[in-house]
Amino acid sequence: MIIDFENELNEAQREAVTATEGPVLVIAGAGSGKTRTIVYRLAHLVNQGVDPAQILLLTFTRKAAQEMLARAETILGRPLHGTSGGTFHSFAYATLRRNATDIGFDSGFTLMDRADSENICKEVRDLLKLGKGDRSYPKKATLLDMITKSRNKELTIEAVMEREAYHLSPYLEDIQRIADGYAQFKREHALVDYDDLLFLLDELLAGNEPLRNQLQARYRYIMVDEYQDTNLVQARIVKHLAGTKGNVMAVGDDAQSIYAFRGANVANILEFPRIFEGAKVIRLEKNYRSVQPILDLTNEILKGATTKFDKHLYSDLKSDKLPQVVHPLSDQTQARLVVDQILELGRKHMLHDVAVLFRAGYQSFPLEVALTRIGIDYQKFGGIRFHEAAHVKDVLSYIRLILNPHDLLAWQRAMEHIKGVGPKTVAKIYQAMHSGDKKYMAKMVKKHEPLKELLTELDRLRSGPMKPSTILEAVLAFYQPILIEKYPDDYPKRQAGLEQLSQIAASYQDMEQFIGDLSLDGDPDEEKRKENAVVLSTVHSAKGLEWAAVIIIDLVEDRFPSRKAMQRAEDLEEERRLMYVACTRAKEELRLFVPGSVYNRASGMSDPTLPSPFVLELPDTVFERLNESYGGNLETRRRSVYTLPDPAVPLADGDKADDAAPARPKVAPSKLGFCRHKIFGKGKIVAQLEPNKYRVNFPGFGLKVIIGDYLELL
C-alpha cells in the first residue's frame, strides 16, 4: 500500500520516518508530533517488508505502546502481529523469565509489587532489631524510597540522603544495613522487585554474548520513546540490544528531561550521538499546539541552557497577543489576582481548559482557599489538595477545639500523637471533660504528660485574642515538635505547607470565617477529568498535557526555581527545563505571575523577592508586563527589561543601585548573548550597564554585576 507521507507529515517528520538504517536521534520539541512520527515509522517499516516480529518498541507506559501499535495498524489497514511493544520493565520481565537459570533462579522467580517490597523492608528492620521504640524511625515506605532512589540513580544511599533527605542522616547506617538485608532476603527467597528487572537484564546482556547476539539479530529495528526520561541502566540496555551501529531510533526532547528525582539522566539523550557511531540527528521543530508568541517566549527560555540540542520552535498558529508577565505586590494578593484572571479566562474558555501551574504542591494552597470561597470548582493534580494534607488537618483540629470544645472528631485528631491514647480512650476523656469527672481527668493528665500540655495550651489560647494569625502562630509553635515526631520522613516538605497556612491566616480578621473557608471543600475526583473545573497542577504532573490558557505562579527565586535547585548548576538546569515544559502547555494564552514579596511567618511581614532568573532573562519583545497597583488593579507598563540590583554581590566602583522600577539598559538584551567568566563560568547577559558593566545570570550563581574587562563575550 502507499502511505500518504506528503499530506500527513512535515518535512522533518518524513525524514525521521524514512531514516530506517543506523542509529537515529529524533529531538522532538514540545507539541511537534512525536507520537505521529513514531506511528508512521512503525507503519513504514512494515510496509517496506520488515517482519513485525523484528521490531521492538520501548515506551514508559503500556498504554502508550498499545496506542502507537493500534494507530500503526489503522494506517496499514491490517494487524501488526508479532511486534514487541511495551515498557522497559515488561520487556525485561519477559526476557528474564525465558533465561531465569542464567541469572541464578533455577526454579524461577516471583515479581513483587510495591506493597510486597515495603513489607520486606519492615521485616528486615524487625529482624535487625532496628528502630524499636523510636516513633521517629523512618517508615517502611521511606526506607524503600531511599533504597530504590539509590539504585536508580546509581548513587550511594549517603549521596541520595545528602541531596534529598538530609533530615534522615541520623539513620544513615541503619538504612544501609536494611538495604543490604533487603537484597539478601530477595536472593534467599527468589524474589525480584521492579528495579531488579532492569539491573538483572543489564547484567545478563553484558555477560551473555550468545543471548545478546540472538536478541540483536531478532530485533533489527528498535525504537525508544521519551528517551530523555531513561536512567543509566535503561540506556545500557538499549546499547546492549542495538550494538553501537544498530538500527535504533531514540525519540525525545532534552529540554523536557525533568525527572532526575526518579533517576532519569539527561546525559543519555545528550550523549546519544557519541555513544552510537554515526548517529543521525533530526529535529522536529514545527509546533502544532501553541501560538507563535508563546513559542517566542519558550525559545528564549531554552537559549539560556548550558548543555542542549539547539532547536527553534515555530508554528503556523498566529496571534497578536503576547504572553503576560504579571507582578502582584505580594504572594498574598497573587491568589486574588489569579482568581480574577480565571474568571476572565472563563468567559472565553471552559474552565477545564484553564490551568494554574506551580513548582510544588503547597504553592496552590492560598489559591485553593480563594477558589473555594467564591465557589469555583477545581481539580488538583500533583501534590495533595490543601484540605487533604494530614499536617494541615492536625493544625486545624486545634483551632476547631478553640472554637468548639465539643468537637469529638477534632479531639481524636488532636490526641492522635499521644502514645497510649487511642479512639476509645479519647471517647472516655471527652466524656469526662464534659461531665465534670475531675478524678478521671486528673488520672489521665498524670499518666499522659502530652495530654496535660495539650489541654494547658488550648486553655491559654481560648483566653487570649482570637485573631487568626495570632492563634495560628501559637498553634504552629506548639505543633512543631509533634510534626517532627509524627512525620519524621518528610516533615521539612510539610513545613512549607504550614508556612502557606500562615500566609492565608494573615489575610483574615475573623476566626470563624477563617476556619469556615478552610473547611469548605468538594469531594476530590482525581481519576476522572472534571468538566468545567479549573485545573491546578504541579509542572511535573502537567507534562504531556495542554490547555487553552496557562497561568504559572510564584516565579521568584526559592520557589521557581526551588531553593534547593539554586545550590547546584545541574539542578538549576533542570528547573529551566521545568519552566520550558510549563510554558509549552499553553495553546493560546500564557500568564506568568511574579509576586514582589512573600510572607515570612517568622517576622509576620513580607520579604521582597527576586524574580525567577528565567523571567529576568526574557527580552522585552516577548511579553507584556502588568503591575498590580496599590489600589489592587493591574496596570500595563511600557515594555521594560529587568535590571534589578544583586544584593549578594558588591557593586562595581561608581555603580549605584538601580531604582526599584526596572530601567531600560543601554543595549537591548535581545542583542546581547552569552559570556564566560573565570570563576562563574558561562552566563547569559541580561543587561548592559554604563559605562562598562554587565548584569549576567550565571547558572548556579544567579545574577552578578561584572565589569566587562573580566568577561569573554561568546
Side-chain angles (χ1 to χ4, degrees), residues 495-553:
Q495 185 67 48
L498 295 179
E499 294 289 337
Q500 291 294 83
L501 186 59
S502 290
Q503 176 199 320
I504 295 167
S507 62
Y508 283 82
Q509 295 300 318
D510 180 76
M511 180 65 79
E512 294 277 1
Q513 183 68 44
F514 173 62
I515 199 70
D517 285 351
L518 292 179
S519 300
L520 289 170
D521 194 21
D523 293 328
D525 182 6
E526 297 301 331
E527 297 302 318
K528 188 177 179 182
R529 294 292 291 272
K530 285 184 181 179
E531 286 292 314
N532 217 26
V534 68
V535 175
L536 309 183
S537 178
T538 61
V539 181
H540 283 101
S541 296
K543 186 174 180 290
L545 303 176
E546 58 184 41
W547 295 273
V550 169
I551 297 169
I552 308 173
I553 61 172

Side-chain angles (χ1 to χ4, degrees), residues 64 70 91 163 180 189 227 241 295 335 338 343 359 460 478 530 543 574 613 639 662 691:
F91 175 77
R163 293 184 181 190
D180 293 340
H189 297 85
Y227 200 74
L241 294 172
L295 299 181
V338 170
L343 290 171
R359 176 64 183 83
R460 186 181 72 80
F478 174 78
K530 285 184 181 179
K543 186 174 180 290
E574 176 150 324
R639 290 184 185 173

Side-chain angles (χ1 to χ4, degrees), residues 365 463 575:
F365 288 173
S463 62
E575 296 287 305

Side-chain angles (χ1 to χ4, degrees), residues 224-245:
V224 188
D225 188 24
E226 303 285 13
Y227 200 74
Q228 78 280 350
D229 293 337
T230 56
N231 60 18
L232 292 171
V233 67
Q234 287 166 327
R236 291 197 297 270
I237 289 171
V238 172
K239 187 176 179 183
H240 290 318
L241 294 172
T244 57
K245 298 182 180 179

Side-chain angles (χ1 to χ4, degrees), residues 26-34 252-253 256 283-287 289 311 313 580:
V26 178
I27 300 298
S32 62
K34 167 181 70 73
D253 184 3
Q256 295 187 68
R283 292 169 172 80
L284 304 185
E285 297 175 300
K286 183 172 183 178
N287 179 286
R289 174 189 299 150
K311 68 176 75 67
L313 299 181
Y580 165 78

Side-chain angles (χ1 to χ4, degrees), residues 392-427:
V392 172
K393 288 182 177 179
D394 290 347
V395 169
L396 294 184
S397 70
Y398 301 124
I399 297 177
R400 285 165 57 180
L401 289 173
I402 294 168
L403 294 173
N404 177 17
H406 296 278
D407 189 337
L408 176 58
L409 294 177
W411 279 115
Q412 289 174 341
R413 183 137 209 134
M415 295 189 202
E416 214 171 45
H417 70 286
I418 302 175
K419 190 175 182 181
V421 177
K424 291 181 180 179
T425 305
V426 172

